[in-house]
Amino acid sequence: MSASWLAVEAGEAKYLFPLGHAGEIFPWTPPEAVPYVQPWFLGVANLRGGLYGIVELSVFASGGVAPAGGEAARSQSRLVALNEMLEVNCALVIDRLVGLRGVEAFVASEVPGADAPAWLGHAYIDAAGERWQEINLQALSQQPQFLTIGV
């Protein structure tokens, strides 16, 4: 079996990150808040000596509001850094790591709609009928709405 993606859950959604785009996985580290930023930008954190912007993936992807629950709800949360080659010091908050997945783990796929954001890849359906959305982290890291954290 060859793995192509890191499978994660964030909010109500299931996502697939291409392994070549994902970087190191860190335990939840509470970020230092930054004023006048988008609701999905939680702040900055020192991760292994580097300063990273912390993005709540579920809020960014849905355009919703930050989940309630505080630090106690973060016990399984992780920070998935974007690969160094993308040249964006950013880590995405995910609620749960699910593991590695290859294309053989899915029974069907759907192409993104014409109105879908450029950073969304194919959606894959597994044998249990669960929908997994691929996120092209390289395309995401270049999107103006992702790079513009100020309000």
Side-chain angles (χ1 to χ4, degrees), residues 32-44 145-151:
E32 292 295 322
V34 176
Y36 310 112
V37 294
Q38 298 289 339
W40 44 264
F41 189 81
L42 299 183
V44 294
Q145 69 267 28
F146 184 77
L147 296 171
T148 307
I149 62 170
V151 290

Side-chain angles (χ1 to χ4, degrees), residues 49-86:
L51 191 61
Y52 286 77
I54 307 299
V55 172
E56 182 82 50
L57 177 60
S58 62
V59 178
F60 179 82
S62 70
V65 296
E71 291 301 311
R74 298 282 188 192
S75 64
Q76 290 188 12
S77 292
R78 298 291 181 264
L79 301 174
V80 178
L82 274 59
N83 191 304
E84 280 182 9
M85 73 172 191
L86 301 180

Side-chain angles (χ1 to χ4, degrees), residues 5-125:
W5 299 287
L6 175 64
V8 302
E9 293 178 358
E12 301 295 317
K14 298 176 184 312
Y15 295 107
L16 300 169
F17 298 159
L19 288 178
H21 298 173
E24 190 170 352
I25 300 168
F26 297 95
W28 168 249
T29 301
E32 292 295 322
V34 176
Y36 310 112
V37 294
Q38 298 289 339
W40 44 264
F41 189 81
L42 299 183
V44 294
N46 181 340
L47 304 175
R48 203 179 298 271
L51 191 61
Y52 286 77
I54 307 299
V55 172
E56 182 82 50
L57 177 60
S58 62
V59 178
F60 179 82
S62 70
V65 296
E71 291 301 311
R74 298 282 188 192
S75 64
Q76 290 188 12
S77 292
R78 298 291 181 264
L79 301 174
V80 178
L82 274 59
N83 191 304
E84 280 182 9
M85 73 172 191
L86 301 180
E87 298 180 345
V88 176
N89 279 11
C90 176
L92 303 173
V93 177
I94 56 104
D95 296 324
R96 192 167 82 87
L97 288 171
V98 181
L100 300 176
R101 297 289 187 276
V103 72
E104 66 280 346
F106 303 101
V107 296
S109 68
E110 304 166 356
V111 296
D115 60 340
W119 46 272
L120 287 182
H122 285 73
Y124 293 88
I125 312 299

